[in-house]
Amino acid sequence: MRKLRTQVGIVGAGPAGLVLGEMLARAGIEAVIVERHDRAYIEERIRAGVIEHWAAALLDELGLGARLRREGLAHHGIELRFAGRGHRIDFPSLTGGKEVVVYGQHEVVKDVVAARLAAGRPLLFEVSETRVEGIETDHPVIRFVHEGEETELSCDFIAGCDGFHGICRPAIPAGVLTAYDRIYPFGWLGILAEAPPSSEELIYAWSERGFALASMRSPTITRLYVQCPPDDDVAQWSDDRIWDELHRRLAAPGFSLTEGPVLQKSITAMRSFVVEPMRHGRLLLAGDAAHIVPPTGAKGMNLALADVLVLSRALEAFYRDGRSDPLDAYSDTCLRRIWKAQRFSWWMTSLLHLFEDDSPFDRRRQLAELDYVTSSAAAATALAENYVGLPID
Ligand code: FAD
Ligand code: DHB
């Protein structure tokens, strides 16, 4: 058996684990990241696309923002489209100059992986049989098989950054965690298409046929979503059917949707989920391992980054100043902001989707709320400040 030792063992090389690794390195704290998949898999996995104002600044500060600033698209607003008309929410004027950056999550992953490997910091791909032990002691261990060899990684702390289906959250003894959960009665069918975006900004569309979202990844690639049944099968969605549905749901006078070859197609389930607390003993959960949001507010990856910012500061206080109180406060500090992002994501989802059991009254209420949000400075400000990202401190 191979024996390794580090200060912080990180399970999972998603945005949470990777960015945590970089922040710890900057603070002079050693970490080893173990990842189940290979490098190509995590670098190609298409997921979130909107980076909050502060999160882009954090990546800059870590020296990881060069390509994001060069290739990412700064967005100063979004369009809410309903009843056949578009209404713009302008971020800078409502938030004191803030914006978001449209840049794929997998691009962030590529940038951080490249920086980590170039610096020679440990990142082990294709580990299997990962388990965590001794989390209630001062010497937790991560066990896994890597390159055919059983490995034991002794740590001071374990960061569970292994996503919603990971092994860290289930390693916490029964009865410790309280889970809060909501499953939505629909999913999103998402496509990546080789076509220039039809609009300069993202369009969130309410329609009689259900929600649609027009996003993008670059000046030549669009990312589009349509609300679909939760258990739908991608095989049911031919390219023609998808384009037809997008045309109908996004229709507005003077708008024309650009089509192009569909490069990728997938269906995402919609769920709100939080566990409390996010720490047990020496295991600290971060990102999707502890909470997920429905994607409508574009919060998933941003929440993961916020958690690991708080966590890295707490670990820095522990190692540099011998202080445990920031680690003790980790869960409460994160959860206060997480619940606000949960509320926002639930609200955006409820505002824009077609719920099967909606009555005509409910649909009118949604339209009235959309009208209010796009005509009241107070309501538009509430949307904008949540969208660009609530303060971390
Ligand atoms: P993850 O990115 O899930 O990373 C966890 C990592 O841990 C993975 O690389 C995984 O392979 C690894 N891992 C898991 N188990 C083990 C193990 N046992 N051992 C070692 N490694 C392990 N958010 C949005 O805002 N907009 C979107 O459009 C959007 N689309 C999404 C589509 C899909 C299909 C999914 C699943 C999520 C989507 N999200 C979206 C959410 C967003 O991508 C996540 O919130 C974000 O990835 C969270 O980052 P993370 O690092 O916490 O977790
Ligand atoms: C994207 C995803 C979202 O969930 C969202 O609200 C905005 C954009 C995207 O993948 O581009």
Side-chain angles (χ1 to χ4, degrees):
M1 187 185 21
R2 188 164 61 140
K3 291 195 175 202
L4 303 173
R5 145 104 210 130
T6 192
Q7 290 177 300
V8 181
I10 301 176
V11 186
L18 287 167
V19 173
L20 176 62
E22 289 313 286
M23 285 191 285
L24 294 178
R26 193 180 53 165
I29 300 167
E30 279 174 24
V32 173
I33 306 180
V34 298
E35 165 59 45
R36 186 157 62 106
H37 289 290
D38 64 20
R39 181 177 178 182
Y41 181 91
I42 64 162
E43 291 189 345
E44 303 303 325
R45 192 168 44 185
I46 306 292
R47 285 183 165 185
V50 176
I51 308 213
E52 290 175 1
H53 182 83
W54 69 272
L58 171 69
L59 294 170
D60 286 338
E61 212 184 299
L62 292 169
L64 297 166
R67 200 163 66 91
L68 176 145
R69 295 297 179 189
R70 211 168 50 240
E71 296 174 19
L73 308 166
H75 279 218
H76 298 100
I78 54 166
E79 181 182 325
L80 293 178
R81 189 171 283 189
F82 55 95
R85 275 191 56 205
H87 306 257
R88 185 164 183 270
I89 304 285
D90 183 77
F91 298 150
S93 65
L94 296 167
T95 63
K98 292 183 183 153
E99 60 185 25
V100 295
V101 182
V102 174
Y103 188 64
Q105 172 172 330
H106 66 291
E107 304 293 354
V108 174
V109 165
K110 276 186 211 164
D111 295 342
V112 190
V113 167
R116 185 166 187 90
L117 295 179
R121 291 193 272 272
L123 166 52
L124 310 182
F125 289 108
E126 295 183 82
V127 304
S128 58
E129 296 170 45
T130 319
R131 46 283 168 219
V132 297
E133 292 170 10
I135 56 176
E136 290 170 342
T137 72
D138 289 348
H139 305 287
V141 296
I142 307 176
R143 292 184 198 282
F144 52 91
V145 174
H146 184 241
E147 292 173 345
E149 202 170 357
E150 181 69 42
T151 308
E152 178 189 283
L153 172 63
S154 309
C155 320
D156 299 332
F157 296 96
I158 296 174
C161 302
D162 51 347
F164 185 65
H165 300 288
I167 50 95
C168 289
R169 190 180 66 251
I172 296 175
V176 171
L177 299 178
T178 305
Y180 301 87
D181 204 2
R182 170 177 297 233
I183 292 173
Y184 297 85
F186 40 75
W188 278 13
L189 169 81
I191 63 163
L192 199 65
E194 201 175 328
S198 311
S199 151
E200 278 185 15
E201 294 181 336
L202 270 58
I203 305 168
Y204 287 81
W206 180 103
S207 96
E208 295 291 356
R209 303 178 65 83
F211 174 71
L213 169 61
S215 180
M216 63 196 72
R217 285 293 176 274
S218 76
T220 55
I221 304 284
T222 44
R223 177 81 168 142
L224 298 146
Y225 299 95
V226 285
Q227 175 184 348
C228 65
D231 47 4
D232 215 353
D233 177 0
V234 250
Q236 298 300 315
W237 287 86
S238 66
D239 294 0
D240 284 349
R241 181 174 171 214
I242 297 171
W243 289 114
D244 180 56
E245 209 49 56
L246 284 163
H247 279 289
R248 290 169 183 236
R249 295 188 193 187
L250 289 162
F255 176 77
S256 107
L257 178 68
T258 326
E259 292 190 23
V262 175
L263 306 173
Q264 204 249 14
K265 240 185 250 190
S266 62
I267 290 180
T268 308
M270 307 273 282
R271 186 170 195 164
S272 301
F273 175 84
V274 182
V275 289
E276 297 185 355
M278 291 166 62
R279 173 185 180 185
H280 182 65
R282 293 240 170 175
L283 171 63
L284 299 115
L285 302 176
D288 277 18
H291 45 76
I292 50 178
V293 285
T296 325
K299 293 286 160 241
M301 170 176 46
N302 293 295
L303 279 176
L305 297 179
D307 289 354
V308 294
L309 176 58
V310 174
L311 181 53
S312 72
R313 287 177 178 168
L315 288 166
E316 203 176 331
F318 178 86
Y319 283 110
R320 196 193 50 210
D321 310 325
R323 286 176 52 201
S324 293
D325 49 311
L327 275 173
D328 294 339
Y330 167 70
S331 179
D332 288 345
T333 307
C334 290
L335 284 164
R336 224 180 129 199
R337 190 172 178 280
I338 287 162
W339 274 110
K340 290 184 198 130
Q342 286 287 351
R343 183 211 67 83
F344 178 68
S345 304
W346 159 84
W347 174 75
M348 285 282 279
T349 303
S350 310
L351 180 64
L352 290 159
H353 288 76
L354 172 63
F355 289 74
E356 291 254 298
D357 54 1
D358 269 359
S359 66
F361 176 91
D362 295 315
R363 297 296 273 167
R364 286 276 185 243
R365 181 186 43 75
Q366 281 180 323
L367 286 171
E369 190 159 5
L370 283 161
D371 188 9
Y372 177 56
V373 166
T374 52
S375 59
S376 148
T381 303
L383 190 158
E385 70 176 355
N386 278 278
Y387 198 95
V388 299
L390 293 174
I392 300 284
D393 297 304

